[in-house]
Amino acid sequence: MSAHVRVRRPASPPPGIAYAGQQRFPHPRQDHDADEKRAAASKGFGPGRTKHFPSGGLNLTQGEIKLLFLIVLVACGVRLFRLSKPNSVVFDEVHFGKFASKYIKTQYFVDVHPPLAKLLITLAGFIFGYNGHFDFKDIGKIYEHVPYVAMRMVPAMLGVATVPLAYLTLRALDCRATTALLASLFITFENGLVTQSRHILLDSPLIFFTALTVFLWVGFCNEDKHEPFTTNWWTWLALSGLSLGAVVSCKWVGLFTIATVGVSTLWQLWNLLGDLRITPSLFIRHFTARAICLIVIPIVFYMFMFQIHFLILENSGDGDGFMSSEFQHTLGGRGMADTFADVALGSQVSIRHVNTQGGYLHSHPHAYPGGSHQQQITLYPHRDMNNDWRIMNATLDGYPEFDYENESLHYIHPHMRIKLLHIATSKHLHSHDIRPPVSDVDFQNEVSGYGAPGFVGDANDDWIVELAEGDTRDIESFKRLRTLRTKFRLRHMLTGCYLFSHKVKLPEWGYEQQEVTCNKNAVKENSLWYIETSEHPQLPPDAPKVNYKLPGFFSKFFELQKVMWNTNAGLTDRHAFDSRPDSWPRLRRGINFWVKDHKQIYLMGNPMIWWSSTLAVGLYALVRGLLILRQKRGFRDFDNTKVVKYDALCGFLFIGWSLHYFPFFLMARQLFLHHYFPALYFAILLYCAVFDLVTSTLRPRVRLQVAGVLVILAIWNFQHFAPLVYGTEWTRPKCENARWLKSWDFSCVDFYNDYSEYASPSIIPTKDFGVGTSPALAVPGNGNEGPVAGGRGGPGALQVDPKVAQANVQQNGNSNHGKHQGQAAAPVDNANDQPPVNVDEDVNTTIDPGRPEPGRDVFAKVEDEVKSDTLAVRPPEKEGKDKEISSVNVPVTATIVGEGKGDGTEVSAVTEKKGGKEEKNDDQATVARGLNGGTGTGSGTTTQKKVETKPEDGDGAEAQPPAGDVKPQTEKQPEEGQQGQGLEIPMGPHDEAGEAREKAAEELFGDDSDE
């Protein structure tokens, strides 16, 4: 047919005769109603309504389903590749792996995060036979009898599932398939998301449930636009509520996801309220349905997770001390027999503090290193015989002869003057005008144990009882002191200060127990005490008894939430790799997860994806602001359906990003890069939505080509930094070239210079080096090149860069920053002059000052509590006394590796000439630890300790009053030569193991006493 011939349409049929071809007017007339068109346009949709509406507005073709399956396979390959490597503990697996062990052993613990993600990880370990006996103690510790691959599989598979959710979410938001494909591939090859999902961590479950919530909510919004209150409408809404409960049950960051859905819900209700076609009763139905599904269901789900948590953790554990006494007595092994309700003079009692998780007033036969050097008084969270005190009368004449066993009962009434006698050590609870060891302020006085058997004491031992609160169930508790029912204060008679405790820990010499002081300006809540147990020889067996009222689920639930909240807010300590929110969108720094065997895992994002998504967020905010200004000037941009559609789409994602990002600026707690990951998910979706808008006028093929270029750039960035994701071999030059920003602090010095060095052995083993038989270390420039054998589990030969090592020593002192590292033992001078072992001089691995360390576990200190009946550690010397002097030098040449629990325990023996006489100096405590297999804290940093031992003065002995006449209010300390004369000084338990270690040290290094 000629191009100039115009084809005419068929003639219209005569009236009354049906049209033989296609229907001339395919849509009913009512579909062209102006109001409906306007309403549909305001929502970004056309006015037509198809006969079949796909569930959630998700209409996928068969080709898309096949494509989605292929994307999932790629995501599996990326996240599951080398999942078993490394075969040692990585970053916060230290904490979350340990929590899985506690679940399996049903031992109670406390964590700042809700339990769902931890329960999923525990379930995987339990199914694959984990018995809970691995301690997950240190980063780099080799897994033994732990199905760690199965446990890592949980976050890995949830990370894989996040990829199709991104695709489906954008398709439900009416984006093109190319755009959805781009988003799913960005999620697949985002380095940070991949790294975080490959280990036993909680962020991958959190991001998965965040993505699931967004997808389900978008599906519900589509159903709501189509037709409300259908079966599909209720299904999508209820599933959205369950997903909200799941996301907040992983981490409290899920509250930001709840806020995102909440803002969207309020916007929907606001529009319904302004629609005059919606009757009040119909609006109430909409409001009630959303309230039930988006508020009640998430709360019930969240509480149900804690019910499972309580049911599993039924036995006493490390977290007991953080809970109230009532809570503790619901745990197995913490039950208490009924105790006498009455408290009288002569009663043997245990006293608990009210406000700081109920620790016991405690003392033990160890003195303060400073101040009065008298016996320590602390707050201790566990039951112990050193918590027992006897209430004595300080007002009656002839107090020492007061026979409480035969005299009539004298109950404790308000304003009674008493003494508290520590039964185990015969010391009185004592205070005086001396500053406490930690809270050294004028309004705080030291509280100590003072006295001896047969010593009457002085007025500084006297306390006034002040009743503060009673129990309405026991009227007598308001009139006199009653066990468990009366809260009271103890006022010091002479100084007027109150017995006080707060959340301040004593140093190691006080076993990190809680400080007890006498405070003149005491906060009432921190100066309240109560009697937990009471015994008296004159009380008959049928005397009234009391016990704790065990709390129910709701009481336990709300108490645990309070503990989690307060502890979370208190995480203000700095971490080596923490960061602030302003640096996250710019990807200024990451987190060092793991360094071992010249390999490293470092959490950082894909720069191309990260910076592009940040740019898209800023671009949307800029354009949206411009549209608002244009609207003020009378432009009708929002009458354009395309503008309305993409504004609603991008606006929802922008709100999600903002609510997951900006609240962190209000937090003073410790923050890390991974806290940005939920916001990053929204930023990536917003980036792809902007791509969908920008390319909306392009041909499909051109759009696909542009997306292909972006995907290729993302994959190139991913593979460029892949060695930091998988912990594979890398070279130092490549690492240095990959450091595009100076703030990226991954440790290039940990890598070899060439890949060939990974294939060749790092060390030529000669024999199993024991104590004192370690070879020398190669330190360039000191004329002593040679390798050193790593300790058990160490990486092998190391060559120390003197500049790096010196920086490390200056930064970290004694190099205890790498205690989680699992590096080789730190070398010291060769004590036995062993010849160096020859090794390839090209091996050149240095030690970088930055070491990986897990996030702080604020609840771990209870686990490290030392029972008061253990051997006392000699306290530090007083100022003015001769002390042990230690110095740290970098050039060192020997390592003594102790066998046992520690990896690379260091023991040094240094000899030096003084005046022509060879004098041997050793730190026998360190030697004993090495001989006994003590745990080392070596990070691979080169250190040397040189100790000069000085004669010790006996200032650590406790001052004892004479047995004869004693004047009140005196605390005279006898001279050194007189200490212990005429009095039996309480001593600590006999330390046979310590004597054996000292004897072994003397055999190894000789006795210093004759030199």
Side-chain angles (χ1 to χ4, degrees):
M1 180 179 295
S2 174
H4 299 283
V5 177
R6 182 177 179 183
V7 179
R8 299 180 60 186
R9 66 177 176 83
S12 300
I17 301 177
Y19 186 63
Q22 185 180 0
Q23 184 179 354
R24 186 173 183 182
F25 302 102
H27 301 292
R29 185 175 182 83
Q30 58 269 24
D31 281 352
H32 296 279
D33 181 77
D35 290 337
E36 186 174 350
K37 288 177 63 177
R38 189 178 299 109
S42 67
K43 298 180 181 180
F45 291 91
R49 178 176 295 178
T50 60
K51 295 182 179 180
H52 172 71
F53 183 80
S55 180
L58 197 63
N59 190 13
L60 299 180
T61 65
Q62 291 295 324
E64 283 187 90
I65 295 175
K66 295 177 182 178
L67 177 62
L68 194 57
F69 179 74
L70 179 61
I71 294 173
V72 171
L73 291 181
V74 174
C76 288
V78 171
R79 279 166 169 76
L80 302 183
F81 174 68
R82 288 173 54 91
L83 190 63
S84 61
K85 302 295 181 182
N87 62 342
S88 56
V89 180
V90 176
F91 192 54
D92 275 354
E93 289 183 344
V94 166
H95 303 317
F96 303 124
K98 179 178 65 178
F99 295 151
S101 299
K102 300 294 183 183
Y103 272 125
I104 291 176
K105 293 190 290 186
T106 69
Q107 295 177 352
Y108 187 79
F109 68 90
V110 177
D111 182 33
V112 296
H113 302 302
L116 176 58
K118 298 190 290 285
L119 287 171
L120 293 175
I121 294 171
T122 302
L123 178 62
F126 178 77
I127 292 175
F128 285 86
Y130 179 46
N131 57 13
H133 293 299
F134 187 78
D135 58 12
F136 293 88
K137 185 177 182 181
D138 300 314
I139 291 179
K141 183 172 183 179
I142 303 296
Y143 282 117
E144 297 178 356
H145 310 294
V146 181
Y148 68 96
V149 176
M151 298 170 73
R152 287 177 178 173
M153 188 71 71
V154 172
M157 294 308 299
L158 292 179
V160 170
T162 306
V163 173
L165 284 176
Y167 185 98
L168 296 174
T169 300
L170 287 181
R171 292 293 288 132
L173 286 170
D174 200 31
C175 289
R176 296 171 177 84
T178 303
T179 303
L181 174 64
L182 183 66
S184 61
L185 291 177
F186 279 173
I187 299 295
T188 299
F189 293 102
E190 209 296 303
N191 297 56
L193 296 178
V194 174
T195 304
Q196 197 76 5
S197 66
R198 289 173 47 82
H199 305 290
I200 306 173
L201 304 173
L202 308 186
D203 293 274
S204 184
L206 171 69
I207 297 167
F208 166 76
F209 285 115
T210 300
L212 180 63
T213 300
V214 173
F215 167 66
L216 293 172
W217 178 248
V218 170
F220 164 75
C221 292
N222 291 338
E223 288 286 345
D224 189 57
K225 292 174 183 177
H226 175 67
E227 185 178 357
F229 301 108
T230 62
T231 301
N232 284 340
W233 187 90
W234 280 105
T235 302
W236 286 92
L237 183 59
L239 290 177
S240 297
L242 287 173
S243 187
L244 284 174
V247 69
V248 77
S249 297
C250 290
K251 276 189 172 184
W252 278 355
V253 176
L255 291 171
F256 303 151
T257 308
I258 293 179
T260 302
V261 174
V263 169
S264 180
T265 302
L266 291 176
W267 179 252
Q268 288 181 352
L269 294 175
W270 181 254
N271 289 331
L272 290 173
L273 188 62
D275 191 343
L276 298 181
R277 293 171 297 182
I278 303 297
T279 63
S281 60
L282 183 59
F283 178 81
I284 292 175
R285 287 185 63 193
H286 277 279
F287 178 85
T288 304
R290 287 165 171 80
I292 293 174
C293 293
L294 301 181
I295 298 177
V296 177
I297 289 180
I299 291 176
V300 172
F301 185 93
Y302 181 77
M303 298 180 72
F304 180 67
M305 291 298 102
F306 277 93
Q307 176 66 7
I308 297 175
H309 177 80
F310 292 143
L311 290 175
I312 295 176
L313 303 179
E314 59 182 0
N315 294 313
S316 175
D318 298 335
D320 297 6
F322 298 94
M323 311 308 296
S324 68
S325 302
E326 292 82 359
F327 189 108
Q328 293 179 30
H329 284 78
T330 64
L331 302 173
R334 290 304 300 262
M336 184 182 76
D338 293 345
T339 185
F340 290 110
D342 290 315
V343 181
L345 293 178
S347 292
Q348 177 180 325
V349 298
S350 60
I351 305 174
R352 299 202 69 162
H353 195 236
V354 172
N355 201 37
T356 53
Q357 285 83 38
Y360 293 91
L361 185 65
H362 176 93
S363 186
H364 41 229
H366 307 297
Y368 290 117
S372 66
H373 296 278
Q374 295 175 4
Q375 186 166 295
Q376 298 173 14
I377 302 294
T378 66
L379 210 66
Y380 185 61
H382 305 293
R383 292 180 183 175
D384 188 89
M385 62 177 294
N386 283 327
N387 302 335
D388 294 337
W389 302 82
R390 191 174 302 281
I391 300 177
M392 310 300 291
N393 195 353
T395 60
L396 296 179
D397 294 334
Y399 150 70
E401 289 77 27
F402 179 72
D403 188 3
Y404 59 85
E405 296 183 357
N406 298 314
E407 296 285 341
S408 59
L409 289 173
H410 290 266
Y411 296 118
I412 308 300
H413 291 90
H415 307 295
M416 181 177 286
R417 179 175 166 183
I418 64 170
K419 295 179 185 287
L420 287 175
L421 178 67
H422 189 245
I423 296 177
T425 60
S426 298
K427 306 284 186 184
H428 291 116
L429 185 69
H430 182 92
S431 185
H432 38 223
D433 192 16
I434 297 178
R435 303 289 76 77
V438 177
S439 301
D440 189 2
V441 289
D442 291 339
F443 56 86
Q444 300 249 40
N445 290 341
E446 179 190 81
V447 176
S448 62
Y450 178 69
F455 174 55
V456 177
D458 57 34
N460 279 330
D461 301 339
D462 294 353
W463 302 84
I464 306 299
V465 178
E466 295 183 0
L467 303 188
E469 300 177 19
D471 193 324
T472 55
R473 296 172 296 174
D474 185 357
I475 301 301
E476 292 296 320
S477 64
F478 293 91
K479 303 176 182 178
R480 55 188 172 92
L481 192 61
R482 298 271 284 182
T483 305
L484 295 177
R485 301 289 188 257
T486 305
K487 296 178 182 178
F488 64 94
R489 306 173 80 188
L490 290 176
R491 177 168 54 86
H492 193 246
M493 191 193 74
L494 294 183
T495 63
C497 58
Y498 286 90
L499 190 66
F500 175 88
S501 186
H502 49 171
K503 294 181 179 181
V504 173
K505 299 290 186 180
L506 295 174
E508 291 184 1
W509 52 258
Y511 305 106
E512 297 186 351
Q513 295 174 13
Q514 193 163 303
E515 183 185 41
V516 174
T517 66
C518 195
N519 194 329
K520 299 176 183 177
N521 300 326
V523 177
K524 183 177 180 181
E525 289 75 11
N526 284 344
S527 60
L528 291 177
W529 307 81
Y530 69 94
I531 305 294
E532 182 181 79
T533 61
S534 175
E535 298 178 8
H536 197 286
Q538 292 199 43
L539 289 174
D542 58 349
K545 294 183 178 181
V546 292
N547 208 330
Y548 285 107
K549 180 182 179 181
L550 299 183
F553 166 74
F554 289 101
S555 298
K556 294 168 62 177
F557 171 79
F558 289 115
E559 180 181 344
L560 181 55
Q561 303 309 301
K562 182 179 178 181
V563 170
M564 293 166 60
W565 175 269
N566 292 335
T567 308
N568 216 334
L571 293 176
T572 56
D573 291 349
R574 294 304 305 272
H575 185 278
F577 291 94
D578 64 1
S579 55
R580 296 309 299 170
D582 60 290
S583 67
W584 297 343
R586 297 174 293 158
L587 193 61
R588 297 293 296 170
R589 71 178 311 208
I591 308 173
N592 195 354
F593 268 21
W594 177 89
V595 178
K596 192 175 182 181
D597 300 334
H598 306 284
K599 302 170 187 175
Q600 183 176 9
I601 296 177
Y602 183 90
L603 178 72
M604 66 173 293
N606 185 312
M608 178 266 175
I609 298 175
W610 208 283
W611 293 332
S612 299
S613 61
T614 300
L615 180 63
V617 171
L619 183 63
Y620 168 76
L622 182 63
V623 172
R624 189 63 172 84
L626 180 62
L627 289 175
I628 293 175
L629 293 177
R630 285 173 56 85
Q631 186 181 33
K632 280 293 183 182
R633 298 298 299 172
F635 291 92
R636 303 175 63 88
D637 297 317
F638 289 98
D639 288 344
N640 187 323
T641 56
K642 177 188 257 188
V643 173
V644 172
K645 169 188 173 181
Y646 283 102
D647 178 63
L649 191 161
C650 296
F652 170 70
L653 297 176
F654 179 80
I655 290 174
W657 176 85
S658 301
L659 292 176
H660 284 80
Y661 174 60
F662 289 114
F664 287 107
F665 284 93
L666 305 177
M667 301 182 187
R669 59 151 290 173
Q670 193 180 85
L671 297 172
F672 295 91
L673 179 67
H674 59 73
H675 287 112
Y676 183 70
F677 284 163
L680 176 66
Y681 178 78
F682 283 94
I684 292 175
L685 295 187
L686 178 57
Y687 173 34
C688 295
V690 171
F691 169 85
D692 195 79
L693 171 62
V694 172
T695 61
S696 60
T697 59
L698 299 179
R699 295 180 179 179
R701 179 176 296 179
V702 177
R703 184 187 306 112
L704 185 60
Q705 291 172 350
V706 175
V709 172
L710 295 177
V711 170
I712 291 173
L713 290 175
I715 295 176
W716 183 87
N717 277 262
F718 174 79
Q719 67 83 27
H720 190 66
F721 297 96
L724 297 177
V725 175
Y726 299 110
T728 54
E729 294 85 357
W730 215 16
T731 62
R732 187 182 301 181
K734 287 189 175 182
C735 177
E736 294 290 353
N737 292 333
R739 185 175 285 168
W740 298 346
L741 299 180
K742 293 181 180 180
S743 56
W744 290 355
D745 49 0
F746 43 81
S747 178
C748 292
V749 295
D750 281 299
F751 297 102
Y752 282 124
N753 285 325
D754 190 81
Y755 285 110
S756 61
E757 299 180 44
Y758 286 99
S760 60
S762 302
I763 185 171
I764 303 176
T766 57
K767 64 178 181 177
D768 184 14
F769 296 103
V771 176
T773 60
S774 175
L777 173 74
V779 180
N782 70 349
N784 188 17
E785 281 75 22
V788 60
R792 187 171 298 177
L798 298 176
Q799 185 179 16
V800 177
D801 185 337
K803 295 181 180 179
V804 175
Q806 181 65 30
N808 197 12
V809 171
Q810 293 175 357
Q811 176 181 348
N812 299 289
N814 292 330
S815 306
N816 58 0
H817 67 288
K819 61 184 178 181
H820 298 294
Q821 173 56 26
Q823 292 282 349
V828 296
D829 286 339
N830 191 344
N832 295 324
D833 298 326
Q834 295 291 334
V837 181
N838 295 326
V839 74
D840 185 1
E841 294 183 359
D842 291 337
V843 177
N844 187 25
T845 298
T846 57
I847 292 85
D848 186 81
R851 299 288 91 183
E853 56 179 291
R856 180 186 174 204
D857 182 7
V858 295
F859 304 103
K861 288 189 176 181
V862 175
E863 182 180 3
D864 298 331
E865 288 282 5
V866 179
K867 290 289 185 179
S868 62
D869 56 356
T870 57
L871 176 65
V873 178
R874 182 182 296 277
E877 303 289 335
K878 291 193 305 183
E879 293 186 2
K881 297 289 183 178
D882 293 329
K883 300 179 180 180
E884 293 185 347
I885 303 173
S886 61
S887 61
V888 180
N889 298 320
V890 173
V892 291
T893 55
T895 299
I896 299 176
V897 182
E899 298 183 1
K901 294 185 293 183
D903 292 342
T905 305
E906 308 152 25
V907 182
S908 65
V910 183
T911 60
E912 59 180 341
K913 299 279 185 177
K914 287 190 178 181
K917 178 181 179 181
E918 185 177 28
E919 190 172 38
K920 183 180 297 183
N921 302 313
D922 58 66
D923 187 348
Q924 291 192 355
T926 306
V927 172
R929 287 195 297 270
L931 294 174
N932 199 35
T935 58
T937 60
S939 65
T941 305
T942 307
T943 61
Q944 170 184 340
K945 178 183 284 188
K946 184 170 71 175
V947 181
E948 294 182 4
T949 305
K950 301 288 184 179
E952 295 184 355
D953 295 329
D955 60 352
E958 182 177 347
Q960 298 290 346
D965 296 334
V966 179
K967 297 180 180 180
Q969 307 180 30
T970 55
E971 301 174 26
K972 181 179 178 181
Q973 297 190 19
E975 302 295 334
E976 285 183 17
Q978 298 176 351
Q979 290 196 18
Q981 294 183 6
L983 288 176
E984 180 182 354
I985 301 177
M987 303 295 291
H990 183 59
D991 186 19
E992 298 180 355
E995 292 182 356
R997 291 194 296 269
E998 292 179 2
K999 182 177 180 182
E1002 290 178 0
E1003 293 177 356
L1004 182 60
F1005 297 107
D1007 189 0
D1008 294 344
S1009 59
D1010 297 332
E1011 296 187 9

